Amino acid sequence: EAGVAQSPRYKIIEKRQSVAFWCNPISGHATLYWYQQILGQGPKLLIQFQNNGVVDDSQLPKDRFSAERLKGVDSTLKIQPAKLEDSAVYLCASSLVRQGVDGYTFGSGTRLTVV
Amino acid sequence: EDKVVQSPLSLVVHEGDTVTLNCSYEVTNFRSLLWYKQEKKAPTFLFMLTSSGIEKKSGRLSSILDKKELSSILNITATQTGDSAIYLCAVEKINFGNEKLTFGTGTRLTIIP
């Protein structure tokens, strides 16, 4: 089965610029997650979608971050305007949670550097 | 607030040594605990633990969950340089079909040849 696809792999932008990341989950996975992983820290959940509805966006900085999952498949995460502290790896994951089986699959991530 | 704490934060050992990584958690509606290995960017799945006291093994790696102590350990025996990575512990909460993972900060393991 194909994995979770993310693009771009790397992005360097200046502060106050905008940036967008794209994620294509595993086919049939209803739940999609965006995580932010700052260097030296564990991944932090930004937003969770169930199909095209938002389940949890409590840790998403909504003044500058936005995400959508149109048609319940692909998703985009946008930052506008970016700050230096947004430098991180942005991981997308999708899941088909089954009891006793790990159903979470992570993409390779996008490394964002804000200068 | 849910909390997952890993220790040590970093560990440097010689090839062939055995290491034990720790994870403790404070989570309501616990469903499972997962271990991941992160070498470049994407965390890769190691183990999922749901029942207390049952050891899971995969080659030189093993893990066990203690629900009474709200903790888990990950053991790696006869370490190799390829084991160098960040090991992440994550806890999954029951949320009626909307389960999610809360991660610890990870343990950075370095194996010296």
Side-chain angles (χ1 to χ4, degrees), chain B residues 2-4 18 20 24 30 35 41 54 63 71 74 80 82 88 90-92 108 110:
Chain B
D2 299 333
K3 200 184 295 187
V4 179
T18 293
T20 298
S24 63
F30 173 89
W35 285 97
K41 285 191 281 189
I54 298 174
S63 185
S71 66
L74 174 68
Q80 302 170 358
L88 295 167
V91 174
E92 183 185 34
R108 180 179 291 276
T110 304

Side-chain angles (χ1 to χ4, degrees), chain A residues 38-106:
Chain A
I38 293 172
L39 187 65
Q41 299 181 20
K44 181 184 85 170
L45 180 69
L46 292 176
I47 189 166
Q48 177 183 355
F49 291 95
Q50 179 80 2
N51 296 308
N52 60 349
V54 175
V55 172
D56 184 349
D57 63 357
S58 57
Q59 298 195 87
L60 187 74
K62 298 181 186 65
D63 58 334
R64 298 183 301 105
F65 285 64
S66 64
E68 60 182 11
R69 190 183 184 196
L70 299 176
K71 301 180 183 177
V73 182
D74 293 7
S75 177
T76 55
L77 176 70
K78 296 179 182 176
I79 309 175
Q80 181 180 4
K83 292 185 175 181
L84 296 176
E85 59 260 36
D86 298 332
S87 294
V89 175
Y90 290 84
L91 293 165
C92 178
S94 66
S95 77
L96 179 63
V97 180
R98 295 161 293 195
Q99 186 66 35
V101 177
D102 169 53
Y104 299 92
T105 303
F106 285 83

Side-chain angles (χ1 to χ4, degrees), chain A residues 37 41-43, chain B residues 4-11 19-23 34-39 43-47 60-62 74-77 79-90 103-111:
Chain A
Q37 187 174 19
Q41 299 181 20
Chain B
V4 179
V5 178
Q6 292 187 245
S7 64
L9 292 182
S10 68
L11 188 57
V19 298
T20 298
L21 310 183
N22 301 284
C23 177
L34 294 90
W35 285 97
Y36 288 87
K37 179 181 182 182
Q38 187 175 32
E39 291 178 269
T44 54
F45 172 75
L46 294 175
F47 298 110
R60 297 176 294 103
L61 279 66
S62 64
L74 174 68
N75 281 319
I76 308 175
T77 60
T79 52
Q80 302 170 358
T81 54
D83 296 327
S84 293
I86 296 171
Y87 289 84
L88 295 167
C89 171
F103 284 88
T105 53
T107 293
R108 180 179 291 276
L109 177 64
T110 304
I111 310 298

